[in-house]
């Protein structure tokens, strides 16, 4: 058989069309991806019929009602077969009774419907998310990522990824952001049920239930990673600002070393990074969050040296007894010892790894490594040690490669000159951005821009970042406790999103998230590149 015919046969076996009868309707040619679980198929039916997944009964397959984890090969799935969906559409699941956390009273937490008396321009645009049963980990993650306007802009156009699961996920995520970002907030909060259903279809881990039958708490960092990983696939091929290009850090020097290894040193003790190892920013997620690292591994026993480039969507802040500030934790994470195979010794030995940043993205997510596996109790225990972090200015310059430092120097020198000449220089970009962002609030248009944040111009980046959001955790284990989001609204005004409870706070409250006790502790910090003096 020809290759094209073989591919068509494989595709026809993977994707099967069926007809679904529901009440007086018939949904024709509903596509089932046999590589995905029936749970994803039920999610598709939810979007068509309005019947939530947990209320659905699907009959017509072998073995009776279709189960979430059934094997498509054993239920008698055939092309163009007819099945029946039974269930009652109606209101989405109500939020369970909410645990009363002490911090709500201390910080003056209020229900979203009671915040009208506070600053209207900011709080009228703030929308909480309903907790549908231990879903605070997802709610906090979404509120933080909502500070990246480029995500919603990219998702406004239809996405056509290869996997129907990725498409469903991107569509659900887009719909949730649109609901959250309406000019007037939803006073009762927005239900993330469609997003959660798609998330659980992508990663069944988030659908795990405990012995009581209730949904289990999950790790917010794993949720964050899953969202970005899925969106990177869903947005594959979407135009990237400035166009796709190969990162050419030190490429010219590497070519010289490859052409003349003797001049660069003994080839037996040094392995220069090959030009094929250059990292290409292939999708919008890596463009927005991708930190490209130049990694140098050296073996003290043999003198072996290996150089390569890697891309990471967040940086890790290691927490040891020597770390009291974010910069110290980053330094430990970028200079560490690893176990790695030595070709000369033909065994695993200790190597020293030194990493430098070769490319800074518009946004940097920093994960505080606060959880470790406690074997005796079989839980991810928490490190409570206080670690402070910058709020208005985080300078990444000293963590960069020499090549990137040279690229940043002219912008930093210009910034220093402006500071000398005008200590309180104003942000001239906000007025330009107003013309490109529609607003229905007339005189408040400029304030709207400052709150929503216009996309970043990478050509103006200088290595400085400002904290935009914090995802915090309270409790002693990542799989228990409670997650909330703290999001900068404007200048020193912050919003605390505790599911659908919203309150205002200041930078002083954010500083208290550094740790040291049983109060909320920063777990993930989201920083945005500063391109001006404000």
């Amino acid at each position: 058989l020809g290759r094209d015919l073989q591919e068509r046969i494989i595709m026809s076996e993977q994707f099967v069309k069926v007809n679904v009868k529901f009440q007086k309707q018939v949904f024709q040619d509903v596509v089932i991806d046999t590589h995905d679980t029936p749970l994803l198929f039920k999610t598709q039916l939810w979007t068509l019929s309005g019947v939530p997944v947990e209320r659905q009964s699907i009959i017509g397959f072998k073995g009776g009602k279709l189960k979430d984890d059934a094997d498509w090969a054993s239920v008698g799935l055939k092309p163009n077969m007819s099945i029946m969906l039974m269930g009652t559409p109606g209101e989405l699941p109500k939020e369970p009774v909410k645990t009363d956390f002490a911090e709500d009273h201390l910080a003056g937490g209020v229900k979203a419907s009671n915040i009208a008396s506070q600053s209207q321009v900011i709080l009228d645009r703030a929308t909480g998310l309903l907790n549908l049963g231990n879903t605070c980990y997802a709610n906090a993650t979404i509120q933080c990522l909502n500070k990246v306007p480029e995500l919603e802009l990219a998702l406004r156009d239809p996405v056509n990824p290869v996997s129907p699961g990725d498409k469903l996920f991107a569509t659900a995520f887009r719909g949730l952001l649109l609901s959250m970002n309406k000019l007037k907030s939803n006073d009762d909060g927005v239900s993330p049920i469609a997003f959660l259903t798609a998330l659980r279809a992508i990663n069944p881990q988030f659908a795990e239930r405990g012995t009581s039958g209730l949904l289990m708490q999950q790790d917010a960092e794993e949720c964050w990673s899953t969202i970005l990983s899925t969106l990177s696939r869903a947005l594959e091929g979407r135009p990237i600002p400035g166009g796709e290009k190969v990162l050419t850090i030190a490429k010219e020097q590497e070519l010289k070393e490859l052409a003349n290894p003797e001049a660069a040193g003994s080839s037996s003790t040094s392995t220069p990074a090959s030009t094929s190892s250059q990292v290409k920013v292939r999708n919008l997620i890596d463009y927005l969050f991708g930190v490209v690292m130049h990694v140098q591994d050296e073996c003290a026993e043999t003198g072996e040296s290996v150089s390569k480039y890697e891309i990471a969507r967040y940086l890790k802040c290691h927490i040891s007894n020597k770390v009291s500030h974010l910069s110290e934790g980053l330094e430990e994470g970028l200079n560490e010892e690893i176990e790695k195979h030595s070709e000369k010794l033909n065994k695993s030995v200790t190597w020293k790894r030194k990493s430098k940043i070769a490319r800074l993205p518009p946004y940097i997510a920093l994960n505080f490594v606060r959880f470790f596996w406690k074997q005796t109790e079989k839980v991810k225990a928490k490190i409570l040690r206080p670690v402070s972090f910058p709020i208005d200015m985080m300078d990444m310059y000293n963590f960069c490669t020499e090549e990137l430092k040279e690229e940043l120097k002219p912008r930093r020198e210009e910034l220093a000159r402006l500071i000398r000449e005008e200590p309180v220089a104003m942000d001239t970009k906000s007025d330009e951005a107003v013309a490109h962002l529609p607003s229905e609030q007339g005189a408040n248009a400029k304030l709207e821009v400052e709150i929503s944040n216009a996309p970043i111009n990478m050509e103006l980046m200088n290595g400085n970042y400002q904290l935009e959001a914090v995802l915090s955790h309270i409790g002693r284990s990542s799989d228990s406790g409670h997650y909330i989001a703290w999001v900068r609204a404007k200048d020193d005004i912050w919003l605390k999103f505790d599911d659908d409870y919203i309150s205002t706070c200041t930078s002083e409250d954010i500083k208290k998230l550094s740790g040291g006790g049983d109060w909320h502790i920063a777990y993930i910090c989201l920083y945005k590149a500063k391109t001006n003096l404000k």
Side-chain angles (χ1 to χ4, degrees):
L1 294 176
R3 181 176 178 181
D4 291 343
L5 181 56
Q6 289 179 339
E7 291 179 351
R8 285 199 296 271
I9 292 174
I10 293 173
M11 290 293 288
S12 66
E13 293 175 348
Q14 177 182 349
F15 299 103
V16 180
K17 293 181 179 180
V18 298
N19 301 316
V20 182
K21 184 178 180 180
F22 172 65
Q23 296 179 351
K24 296 182 180 180
Q25 307 176 68
V26 177
F27 304 117
Q28 295 183 335
D29 295 334
V30 180
V31 177
I32 294 177
D33 184 349
T34 57
H35 289 184
D36 288 318
T37 65
L39 180 60
L40 178 60
F41 173 59
K42 291 184 177 182
T43 305
Q44 292 176 266
L45 296 183
W46 177 82
T47 63
L48 293 171
S49 66
V51 179
V53 171
E54 62 272 16
R55 298 183 189 175
Q56 293 181 16
S57 293
I58 302 174
I59 59 176
F61 292 106
K62 291 181 181 178
K65 296 180 181 179
L66 181 66
K67 297 181 180 180
D68 292 348
D69 57 352
D71 182 359
W72 287 117
S74 62
V75 298
L77 175 63
K78 297 178 182 179
N80 302 316
M81 70 182 296
S82 295
I83 58 177
M84 180 177 291
L85 167 65
M86 295 188 296
T88 305
E91 295 183 2
L92 295 173
K94 297 294 185 181
E95 179 186 17
V97 176
K98 184 177 179 63
T99 303
D100 190 17
F101 291 101
E103 65 268 27
D104 291 334
H105 304 287
L106 294 173
V110 293
K111 194 72 174 176
S113 58
N114 298 323
I115 61 178
S117 61
Q118 302 184 48
S119 176
Q120 294 301 306
V121 175
I122 294 177
L123 288 175
D124 276 2
R125 297 197 61 175
T127 299
L129 294 171
L130 298 177
N131 190 319
L132 303 180
N134 281 332
T135 58
C136 59
Y137 67 92
N139 290 348
T141 300
I142 293 164
Q143 293 289 7
C144 290
L145 290 176
N146 196 32
K147 282 295 293 181
V148 183
E150 292 90 342
L151 286 179
E152 183 187 334
L153 289 172
L155 290 168
R156 286 180 182 178
D157 296 327
V159 295
N160 293 294
V162 174
S163 168
D166 291 348
K167 182 176 183 178
L168 183 65
F169 181 91
T171 302
F173 187 69
R174 170 184 177 273
L176 184 56
L177 293 184
L178 290 175
S179 297
M180 293 167 60
N181 295 332
K182 291 179 180 178
L183 289 179
K184 181 171 176 56
S185 69
N186 185 324
D187 292 342
D188 296 323
V190 171
S191 171
I193 181 63
F195 168 79
L196 289 170
T197 303
L199 176 67
R200 291 162 184 162
I202 290 291
N203 188 344
Q205 168 188 325
F206 298 108
E208 291 178 348
R209 295 179 181 270
T211 54
S212 63
L214 299 176
L215 287 166
M216 297 175 62
Q217 178 68 285
Q218 300 291 336
D219 189 335
E221 185 272 327
E222 293 177 358
C223 179
W224 185 294
S225 298
T226 299
I227 291 175
L228 294 190
S229 177
T230 307
L231 289 179
S232 71
R233 297 192 303 268
L235 295 173
E236 188 78 38
R238 188 59 52 89
I240 295 174
E244 292 189 10
K245 59 181 180 181
V246 176
L247 184 72
T248 55
I249 300 295
K251 184 173 182 180
E252 182 178 352
Q253 180 62 27
E254 289 172 11
L255 287 171
K256 291 179 181 178
E257 292 177 357
L258 289 172
N260 188 8
E262 294 182 358
S266 174
S267 59
S268 62
T269 61
S270 176
T271 305
S274 68
T275 55
S276 61
S277 69
Q278 302 299 325
V279 177
K280 187 172 185 179
V281 179
R282 298 180 180 276
N283 57 71
L284 185 66
I285 297 302
D286 286 339
Y287 169 82
L288 292 174
F289 299 96
V291 181
V292 176
M293 309 296 300
H294 181 258
V295 181
Q296 186 77 30
D297 294 339
E298 295 182 352
C299 179
E301 289 188 47
T302 64
E304 291 171 282
S305 178
V306 179
S307 177
K308 61 182 178 179
Y309 287 97
E310 296 180 344
I311 188 164
R313 291 174 183 149
Y314 57 83
L315 297 178
K316 290 184 177 292
C317 173
H318 288 211
I319 302 177
S320 67
N321 57 6
K322 297 180 181 180
V323 172
S324 298
H325 189 270
L326 174 63
S327 59
E328 297 169 339
L330 280 176
E331 187 69 31
E332 279 199 9
L334 296 176
N335 297 276
E336 57 184 338
E337 290 189 346
I338 62 170
E339 287 294 316
K340 186 175 177 178
H341 181 78
S342 167
E343 291 187 2
K344 285 190 174 183
L345 300 177
N346 194 28
K347 67 177 182 177
S348 180
V349 295
T350 300
W351 295 58
K352 286 187 177 181
R353 169 167 289 184
K354 294 183 179 181
S355 302
K356 289 286 187 179
I357 297 175
R359 184 240 184 205
L360 286 169
Y363 297 89
I364 291 181
L366 286 160
N367 172 224
F368 292 84
V369 187
R370 287 201 171 273
F371 297 104
F372 66 97
W373 182 251
K374 198 169 185 178
Q375 186 64 32
T376 56
E377 300 179 22
K378 306 294 184 182
V379 296
K380 293 181 182 177
K382 188 174 183 179
I383 301 172
L384 300 179
R385 180 179 177 83
V387 178
S388 60
F389 50 90
I391 295 177
D392 294 317
M393 179 74 79
M394 178 178 72
D395 192 349
M396 300 297 292
Y397 183 78
N398 289 334
F399 299 109
C400 297
T401 62
E402 292 303 317
E403 292 79 11
L404 183 53
K405 285 181 179 180
E406 287 299 317
E407 182 181 336
L408 296 175
K409 269 184 181 179
R411 305 169 197 170
R412 295 171 68 87
E413 291 171 355
E414 175 65 13
L415 181 63
R417 183 188 65 79
L418 291 174
I419 292 175
R420 290 193 300 269
E421 295 179 358
E422 186 60 64
V424 273
M426 298 299 293
D427 180 5
T428 59
K429 294 295 174 184
S430 294
D431 292 326
E432 298 174 12
V434 170
H436 301 288
L437 291 179
S439 171
E440 298 179 12
Q441 304 211 1
N444 291 326
K446 182 178 177 64
L447 185 56
E448 297 259 349
V449 171
E450 293 174 351
I451 294 173
S452 64
N453 295 312
I456 297 170
N457 183 349
M458 288 193 69
E459 295 181 357
L460 300 178
M461 287 172 52
N462 49 48
N464 293 323
Y465 287 77
Q466 175 178 273
L467 183 65
E468 290 295 306
V470 179
L471 189 154
S472 68
H473 176 267
I474 187 170
R476 293 300 181 101
S477 167
S478 65
D479 299 327
S480 62
H482 187 55
Y483 293 96
I484 66 175
W486 313 70
V487 178
R488 188 192 293 266
K490 179 182 182 293
D491 299 332
D492 194 44
I493 301 175
W494 289 71
L495 292 172
K496 175 185 174 184
F497 290 96
D498 186 354
D499 293 327
D500 58 328
Y501 283 72
I502 307 173
S503 59
T504 55
C505 58
T506 68
S507 297
E508 289 302 312
D509 297 292
I510 306 303
K511 292 178 182 178
K512 298 175 185 177
L513 304 177
S514 59
D518 285 325
W519 177 245
H520 272 280
I521 300 179
Y523 186 32
I524 299 176
C525 286
L526 179 64
Y527 285 87
K528 180 178 180 178
K530 291 173 68 75
T531 57
N532 46 59
L533 298 183
K534 290 204 74 177

